[in-house]
Amino acid sequence: MYNEHSLASEQSTQKQQGFSSLYRHSHPAPACSAKTSATMSRTMADGSEDVNGNISRTGSHRQTDYHGYKVGFPPAKGLFAELVEGVKETFFADDPLREYKDQPRSKKLWLSLVHLFPVLDWARSYTFGMFKGDFVAGLTIASLCIPQDIGYAKLAFLPAHVGLYSSFVPPLVYAVMGTSRDIAIGPAAVLSLLLGTLLQEEIDPVKNPYEYSRLAFTATFFAGITQAMLGFFRLGFIIEFLSHAAIVGFMAGAAITIGLQQLKGFLGIAKFTKKSDIISVMESVWGNVHHGCNWQTILIGASFLAFLLTTKYIAKKNKKLFWVSAIAPLISVIVSTFCVFITRADKQGVAIVKDIKEGINPPSFHLIYWSGPYLAKGFRIGVVAGMVGLTEAIAIGRTFAAMKDYQIDGNKEMLALGTMNIVGSMTSCYVGTGSMSRSAVNYMAGCKTAISNVVMAIVVMLTLLLITPLFKYTPNAILASIIINAVVSLVDYETAYLIWKVDKMDFMALLGAFFGVVFASVEYGLLIAVAISLGKILLQVTRPRTALLGNLPRTTIYTNVEQYPEARKVPGVMIVRVDSAIYFTNSNYVKDRILRWLRDEEEQQQEQKLSKTEFLIVELSPVTDIDTSGIHALEELLKALEKHKIQLILANPGPAVIQKLWSAKFTELIGDDKIFLSVDDAVKKFAPKSALNV
């Protein structure tokens, strides 16, 4: 799991030698003498040079004269310079202003417009050949999104036409501002479930549909504000706190919950629980079994679900037949609607969609709650939905960008997603994001740019204007089958098994998120996922790994003795590596862990009658930073070692670490002769006889 930092330390020595002006020589004369040069020339024929520049022969003998370089200090920086550098690395790591340097004002204005609207950049090289790919892809994902949008709107307890609205306006906005070529925008299963669960806790969608829709638009508005602000202030790193394992567990739990909720439409149950946990759902299903279910509804749902799963299996086995699975939902809707219409199965208890409002999106700015108690509730729901939507969309965008070998800008993506949801909230849409199933179809259909989203939006617009009355007799059972088929792929058991093999703590986060969603609710599952992810971070920060190092025979490499059993400990010398920055959160632990290494070593020496430890070398190459608490812990460690007559030696401290040690005068306390560029140098200096024998 961890690379051996001591090897990297030895290799970094070559780089540091290049900055000779920053380093002092402990033995300048021998290092530059003619005698040394002659020795190097003689050994070229029958020896080799190691990573530190030391000459070693193929036999067991090795030169013990180290190169003579000492640890250097980086150039001094003022407080303002350090603050500027810290802010730059935190918020502007990609150096977004580099293109503006030395450019005329007109060019800067154009670059600003391109930064805000990336379409201005790639549209200049857009060709008819690219449009053909986008056109086919747009038609394909439109055939998939239309039935899905109707089903997802019902999942969010919103009218069916609102789902279609959400695949018309938002994709157009994203096509202008987004940086992903492959992501397909619109309602998503998990986000629809999350929104529906949170909204119905505040307003009953059956008794008060008007207020419910208003709260949905309000939440969508604040979801967009949240996303846009994160992008504008370049705070996208916040969503990284939700680990990949937690997302896998959350998605799987949401898929199970969504699938269970579709039993209402799949079985034709009239009265169904509003809760989403598995216990409440199964109680509701079992309670309705005694009253009987509609067999025609079950027949429709089961038949078309089998058809959809079969087409998905065919597409998985043969990637060229992806279109079979893509158009299957629309075919299912058309066939099932026709069958219900000619048999009038709706009069025999088969629930249907009924009327879908015709026409394109009406304005909804006036429907958003700008004051009152629902303003705060909409804000809370919107922030949660916005964060989940961002996480899902950026993960999807990065996945397909890596497959096509191009880069997406996370901050631009947040601005694009936020803007589209803000505009969407004012045009009767609910929260939209990237859809994994539609994006995969978009990719396989050969999309070239975001124009495929424009084509999809135009098809949805024509559907709203011309053919929505044809969906009147569409059975709810077929929508349930389409949603179940869509969420099956969200249960990624292969990735879950890989996470179990790689990292058990990550797997615990996965299970926590999964069971939280399944047995409690979507928001509790999300909360558990975040809590476990943060807990893992805190555990790693407060309890960093340490390792006991030994020398690999006939090399200058000092590495973990547990990972490399052949590595030999140096008699009289104990070498410890700290694999983390040393802060107030872990400084005492690091000190206590090193002392425990010493106690264990002393017990082993007494049992085996070995020579007593005289030197403790602390390898600091993995220590990227240290604070005053960390320095204080080193001072306490030094005092504890002096009582046992053990000398403390530091090896390869980084620029930030050595600068702070010098500022705190710890270098004077320990002595400049106790700080070395590498572990090998320290061993050669203080245990030369051992260095000859290892």
Side-chain angles (χ1 to χ4, degrees):
M1 293 294 293
Y2 288 88
N3 294 326
E4 289 308 315
H5 298 288
S6 53
L7 176 58
S9 168
E10 300 293 338
Q11 292 174 332
S12 68
T13 305
Q14 290 178 314
K15 298 179 181 178
Q16 296 188 42
Q17 289 177 4
F19 302 97
S20 57
S21 61
L22 301 178
Y23 293 86
R24 295 169 294 171
H25 293 72
S26 60
H27 304 288
C32 302
S33 65
K35 180 179 179 181
T36 304
S37 301
T39 303
M40 293 177 64
S41 300
R42 288 196 303 270
T43 53
M44 289 293 288
D46 58 350
S48 62
E49 186 174 350
D50 64 20
V51 293
N52 283 320
N54 302 315
I55 307 303
S56 61
R57 300 181 186 277
T58 55
S60 61
H61 179 66
R62 182 176 65 185
Q63 295 285 341
T64 60
D65 292 333
Y66 56 89
H67 45 67
Y69 287 103
K70 297 189 70 177
V71 174
F73 292 83
K77 294 180 182 178
L79 176 61
F80 180 75
E82 289 187 359
L83 288 175
V84 169
E85 183 177 345
V87 170
K88 182 179 178 181
E89 287 302 314
T90 301
F91 300 102
F92 305 99
D94 55 344
D95 193 13
L97 300 179
R98 63 187 181 279
E99 297 178 352
Y100 293 82
K101 295 178 181 178
D102 303 324
Q103 297 290 346
R105 183 174 299 179
S106 58
K107 181 67 174 179
K108 290 180 180 179
L109 177 61
W110 171 253
L111 290 174
S112 299
L113 290 173
V114 170
H115 182 83
L116 189 60
F117 304 107
V119 65
L120 296 176
D121 183 29
W122 55 261
R124 293 182 296 175
S125 57
Y126 196 73
T127 62
F128 181 73
M130 297 169 69
F131 176 73
K132 288 192 294 184
D134 287 334
F135 182 75
V136 173
L139 291 178
T140 307
I141 58 176
S143 67
L144 177 62
C145 86
I146 291 171
Q148 281 188 350
D149 289 347
I150 297 173
Y152 290 160
K154 287 187 171 292
L155 192 60
F157 303 105
L158 289 166
H161 57 267
V162 174
L164 293 172
Y165 290 165
S166 303
S167 281
F168 171 42
V169 173
L172 295 176
V173 177
Y174 181 85
V176 175
M177 299 184 66
T179 60
S180 174
R181 307 172 192 168
D182 303 277
I183 194 169
I185 295 297
V190 174
L191 205 53
S192 299
L193 172 67
L194 175 64
L195 194 66
T197 303
L198 296 177
L199 290 175
Q200 70 171 345
E201 291 179 356
E202 307 298 338
I203 300 177
D204 191 319
V206 178
K207 296 180 180 179
N208 301 296
Y210 179 72
E211 286 79 6
Y212 185 88
S213 296
R214 289 190 64 186
L215 186 58
F217 299 147
T218 304
T220 301
F221 175 79
F222 284 111
I225 290 292
T226 301
Q227 294 169 335
M229 289 299 99
L230 287 175
F232 181 79
F233 291 108
R234 308 182 68 83
L235 298 174
F237 59 86
I238 292 176
I239 65 173
E240 304 295 343
F241 283 97
L242 194 61
S243 67
H244 173 65
I247 293 173
V248 172
F250 176 77
M251 290 294 185
I256 299 296
T257 301
I258 292 169
L260 290 174
Q261 292 226 326
Q262 299 315 301
L263 292 176
K264 176 184 178 181
F266 193 85
L267 300 176
I269 299 174
K271 295 183 179 180
F272 201 72
T273 180
K274 294 180 180 179
K275 297 181 179 179
S276 61
D277 63 281
I278 188 172
I279 295 176
S280 299
V281 171
M282 296 312 297
E283 285 179 349
S284 183
V285 172
W286 183 253
N288 282 277
V289 167
H290 299 289
H291 302 289
C293 298
N294 187 278
W295 69 267
Q296 295 99 325
T297 300
I298 297 175
L299 179 63
I300 292 171
S303 300
F304 283 99
L305 179 59
F307 169 69
L308 292 169
L309 293 175
T310 300
T311 57
K312 177 174 283 191
Y313 178 79
I314 292 172
K316 186 177 181 180
K317 288 296 182 181
N318 189 343
K319 300 297 183 183
K320 294 182 179 180
L321 297 177
F322 70 91
W323 56 271
V324 175
S325 177
I327 66 172
L330 187 59
I331 292 175
S332 300
V333 168
I334 294 172
V335 174
S336 63
T337 301
F338 180 73
C339 291
V340 170
F341 175 73
I342 62 173
T343 61
R344 296 313 305 267
D346 57 305
K347 294 185 177 181
Q348 301 175 30
V350 175
I352 58 175
V353 173
K354 298 181 180 178
D355 294 327
I356 297 180
K357 187 176 179 181
E358 291 185 74
I360 59 174
N361 309 35
S364 58
F365 178 84
H366 62 288
L367 298 178
I368 297 174
Y369 286 110
W370 300 110
S371 61
Y374 288 124
L375 174 63
K377 294 176 181 179
F379 174 78
R380 177 181 61 84
I381 296 171
V383 169
V384 175
M387 296 292 284
V388 174
L390 266 186
T391 303
E392 187 173 0
I394 291 180
I396 293 170
R398 287 175 177 171
T399 298
F400 291 103
M403 295 170 68
K404 284 190 175 180
D405 193 25
Y406 68 91
Q407 297 291 325
I408 66 169
D409 189 317
N411 292 297
K412 289 181 182 179
E413 286 294 290
M414 293 175 198
L415 279 173
L417 292 166
T419 304
M420 81 176 195
N421 278 317
I422 292 172
V423 175
S425 69
M426 299 177 183
T427 53
S428 303
C429 305
Y430 76 97
V431 185
T433 186
S435 168
M436 186 64 189
S437 58
R438 274 177 269 177
S439 298
V441 170
N442 196 31
Y443 169 80
M444 290 185 289
C447 72
K448 303 301 180 184
T449 67
I451 292 297
S452 60
N453 276 290
V454 176
V455 174
M456 177 193 71
I458 293 173
V459 174
V460 172
M461 179 193 69
L462 295 175
T463 301
L464 286 166
L465 291 173
L466 303 175
I467 64 175
T468 49
L470 300 179
F471 291 105
K472 178 179 180 179
Y473 292 98
T474 300
N476 288 337
I478 194 63
L479 299 178
S481 299
I482 291 171
I483 293 175
I484 292 172
N485 176 65
V487 300
V488 164
S489 57
L490 295 179
V491 183
D492 194 350
Y493 60 89
E494 293 179 351
T495 299
Y497 179 65
L498 178 63
I499 292 172
W500 161 257
K501 290 196 301 181
V502 172
D503 193 322
K504 301 300 187 292
M505 189 64 187
D506 262 358
F507 189 74
M508 292 301 296
L510 184 152
L511 288 181
F514 177 80
F515 288 119
V517 173
V518 171
F519 287 100
S521 62
V522 177
E523 63 267 36
Y524 277 114
L526 186 62
L527 182 63
I528 292 172
V530 173
I532 294 178
S533 298
L534 290 176
K536 180 184 176 184
I537 294 173
L538 291 175
L539 183 62
Q540 292 176 337
V541 169
T542 58
R543 294 295 182 267
R545 294 179 183 269
T546 57
L548 200 61
L549 306 186
N551 177 260
L552 290 177
R554 296 178 299 279
T555 73
T556 60
I557 300 172
Y558 289 81
T559 187
N560 193 333
V561 295
E562 290 187 0
Q563 184 177 2
Y564 297 93
E566 65 272 25
R568 301 175 184 176
K569 296 180 182 178
V570 180
V573 180
M574 181 176 174
I575 309 170
V576 178
R577 187 184 68 217
V578 181
D579 291 333
S580 169
I582 305 177
Y583 292 131
F584 66 96
T585 55
N586 60 23
S587 56
N588 285 325
Y589 171 79
V590 170
K591 178 198 66 176
D592 294 340
R593 188 66 185 90
I594 292 175
L595 292 175
R596 184 148 57 93
W597 279 119
L598 279 170
R599 287 197 301 271
D600 295 343
E601 192 74 6
E602 286 179 357
E603 292 176 1
Q604 186 177 2
Q605 290 167 355
Q606 291 175 1
E607 291 177 1
Q608 301 180 8
K609 297 181 179 180
L610 300 174
S611 58
K612 182 180 179 297
T613 300
E614 298 180 19
F615 305 99
L616 170 66
I617 301 176
V618 181
E619 161 71 293
L620 294 177
S621 57
V623 180
T624 56
D625 201 1
I626 191 170
D627 64 3
T628 52
S629 297
I631 296 173
H632 182 65
L634 289 181
E635 291 173 350
E636 291 183 347
L637 176 64
L638 179 61
K639 292 177 182 178
L641 294 175
E642 287 176 346
K643 293 179 181 179
H644 293 80
K645 298 181 180 180
I646 299 175
Q647 298 186 51
L648 176 62
I649 302 166
L650 305 181
N652 198 21
V657 174
I658 191 62
Q659 183 66 49
K660 292 182 179 181
L661 292 178
W662 178 82
S663 298
K665 298 185 178 180
F666 184 79
T667 54
E668 296 179 12
L669 186 63
I670 190 176
D672 290 340
D673 60 334
K674 301 292 179 59
I675 304 176
F676 289 84
L677 203 58
S678 69
V679 172
D680 189 59
D681 287 351
V683 171
K684 289 174 181 177
K685 175 69 175 180
F686 290 99
K689 294 182 180 180
S690 299
L692 285 170
N693 295 326
V694 293

